Every structure is written in C-alpha cells, then in structure tokens.
Amino acid sequence: MNILKFLPATILFLNLNCTEDPTGTIKPGEIWPDNNGVHINAHGGGILIHNKTYYWFGEHKTEGKAGNRANVGVHVYSSTNLTDWKDEGIALKVIEDDENHDITKGCVLERPKVIYNKATKKFVMWFHLELKGQGYKAARTGLAVADNVTGPYTFIKSLRPNAGQWPVNFSEEQKKAEYDYVMNRWTAEGRKAVKNGMYLKRDFEGGQMSRDMTLFVDDDKKAYHIAASEENSTLHIRELTYDYLDFTGKYVRVFPDESNEAPAIFKKDGKYYMFASGCTGWAPNPGRSAVANNIVGPWISLGNPFKGTQEEMKVSFHSQSTYVIPVMGKKDAFIYMGDRWVPDNAIDGRYIWLPVDFENGKPKIKWYKEWDLSIFD
Ligand code: GAL
C-alpha cells in the first residue's frame, strides 16, 4: 500500500478534527478567533444561555483610541462549548442618520447585557449609555428589545433610573440632610457626605446615575439591574418590572462611598456572589468580591478574589470583571469573564476568562495560561 497516497486525506481529517474540537482550550489574554478567524469583538460583555446555547454580547470596538466609542453597536456570538464562537453579527446597531438619537454613532455604549423574559418571550438588553459629545456626564442606562436572541434589537429608551424614589435602605435622617454640593468630595467631610447619600439627594428628582452595569435574573425570575451610581461612589441594585422593561422603584445602595464598578453577580448554593473592581478607568486595579444571602443585601466584602503574586493581585491579572458564566451541565462551575482593555487600540482588547474556585467559602481566581472545562470535573 502506498501510504503517501493517503497522507493528504489524513492531514485534512486531523485538521477538521482540530477546528471542531468540542473540548477546545481557553487561553486568557491571547487573540481569540471566531469561526471566521477574526478576533472576537465583544468587550465589556455578558452571556445569555438560551436553548442550550451560549450567546456572548459585547461592545464592538474599532481601531485606535476613537474605537472606544460606539461606532458600530453591540456584537453577538454563539457557542455550544464556550471555546468555538460563531459570529452572529451586530445585535444592536448604532444610528447613522440621526445626530440627535440617543444611540447615534459615536456615543458611548458600554457593558451590554441581555436577559430573556419567559412571560413576554422578549430578549431584553440593558446597557450603559453616554450621549455623544458629553464625555461620561449623561450616566444613563439604555434599553433595547428583540424577538430573536441574536436580534435585531430595537432601541426603546434611555434614562436615569428611579427619579423621585428613595432607596429602601435610606434613613429619614439621610433624606433630610442638607449638603454643600461644591465641597471637595475627597476630604473626610466629603466622603462622609457621599456615604450618607449627597449625590443621591442631588439626583433625586432627575433620576440616579447609571454607569458600569450588569443584569441578574434570580431563580424566581425577578431581574435586577446593578450599576455604579452616585458619581461611581456607590452601587445600586434595582429591581426590574415583571417584563424587565422598567424599574419598579425598589432599589438599594450597596457599599456606599466604596467606589465599586464593573459588577458581576452569580449565585451558588443559595448565596449571591459579586465581583467588582475599583474605579481607575481602563487601567486595572485590585479586584473585589462580596457575598450576600439576599440579592438586595446586606453584602459583605470578601476582599480581592485574585490569587497570585502581589503584582498580579494588584492588577487582577491585568483584567476588569464583566460577567460570571455558569457552565451548563456542570455543578458549581463558574467562569470569571474579564476584559483586558487596550484603550489606545480598542479593537485589540483581550478577554481574561478563568475558572472560579472556592476556598473557605470565598471565590478565588487563579491564573491558567491555557485551560479547558475539564478543570471543573
Ligand atoms: C472603566 C469602565 C469601562 C469604561 C472605562 C472608561 O472604569 O469599567 O467600562 O467606562 O472606565 O474610562
């Protein structure tokens, strides 16, 4: 038999096997090609699990510094194994022909998250929105809805939530306090005022600021919108209405004046866990974690979840949290999903995905250069 005759077919077979490998590996920080060989473009993302498929929604970035703004929209990919991702196109497109539209091309549209409402059969996307040309002043959250998971999503509205409503955990004394809004926020006096809700009071009538955000659907199907508010000093956990298209008005302040952003929430054994970061823009900082028996708190800090050298822990393996993925078909298997931002060439941002470990009831994230889902077995 002439072996050489069969060699090309064998090579082709092996190649095909490689690309279709159901147990591919995850290489944090490396270029991550999609089904077309193009680096995945879904930053500040989140995952929706629907019909046994993972859908990864994220910010579509473009080249250069200007690529941090929304020039295209929200990109979506699908996968059944978390390693091979199919480009499903742009789920929500920015508006090209109306300069005054909330999501006009060149606005800032960040951290989109999608949840599915079983009762209305709608896919609901909330995101952080900054109006074009206003820097990060607007601090709004935007809503878009679709009938199909991959879209097209239709923009519905953007707003500052909970106008005219007090948080559940706000005392009568805090409601009555008067503030000198021009005082230095970083003095001891300023910090005390912020902790007591100075910015919340300032924004009471117009609605609360809403920047870095995530969504969380609980087992009872109630959904929550979790965002950095009050000039990024304080997280707000806000209950959404039954259709997920609005706020019920019930919300809590979490970690007032502790400057948390990039929140990501998951639930394990009836407890709620949160990852977050400090506020240093695109630059990484020491990550944070917290636990609660109830989604609305009280939340208890569990410190930096990253476990490595001091240098690695200071920068969270050079990443910032964005979501935690519950792995289908595996018990207690969760993946930390973080962004390694490249602000000077936004499109080159990388993804840091690492398994979440538990040590003495605390979630821990260790570095793996290359790993696969068998780590959870
Ligand atoms: C980060 C935030 C990002 C983006 C960036 C802009 O702190 O997490 O989503 O808003 O700031 O500087």
Side-chain angles (χ1 to χ4, degrees), residues 172-191:
E172 289 307 313
E173 203 180 317
Q174 284 173 318
K175 288 179 197 169
K176 283 191 205 115
E178 304 265 347
Y179 296 105
D180 162 15
Y181 290 111
V182 291
M183 90 170 115
N184 181 349
R185 179 245 179 286
W186 294 109
T187 57
E189 196 196 356
R191 290 203 60 172

Side-chain angles (χ1 to χ4, degrees), residues 255 273 288-291 300-305 361-364:
F255 297 130
Y273 294 89
R288 295 145 182 216
S289 62
V291 65
I300 297 155
S301 172
L302 294 178
N304 188 334
K362 294 183 182 180
K364 292 286 167 201

Side-chain angles (χ1 to χ4, degrees), residues 12 14 66 68 93 101 133 163 171 179 211 225 227 240 246-247 266 271 297 350 354 357:
L12 184 71
L14 286 175
N68 290 302
K93 287 196 172 86
H101 197 285
S171 69
Y179 296 105
R211 291 206 183 104
H225 181 284
L240 291 174
D246 223 325
F247 297 87
F266 64 105
K271 282 190 193 293
R350 305 298 172 87
L354 292 164
D357 221 5

Side-chain angles (χ1 to χ4, degrees), residues 72-93:
V72 177
V74 176
H75 209 133
V76 57
Y77 297 82
S78 66
S79 173
T80 49
N81 64 5
L82 288 171
T83 53
D84 299 306
W85 291 92
K86 178 174 175 234
D87 185 355
E88 299 277 3
I90 304 302
L92 173 68
K93 287 196 172 86

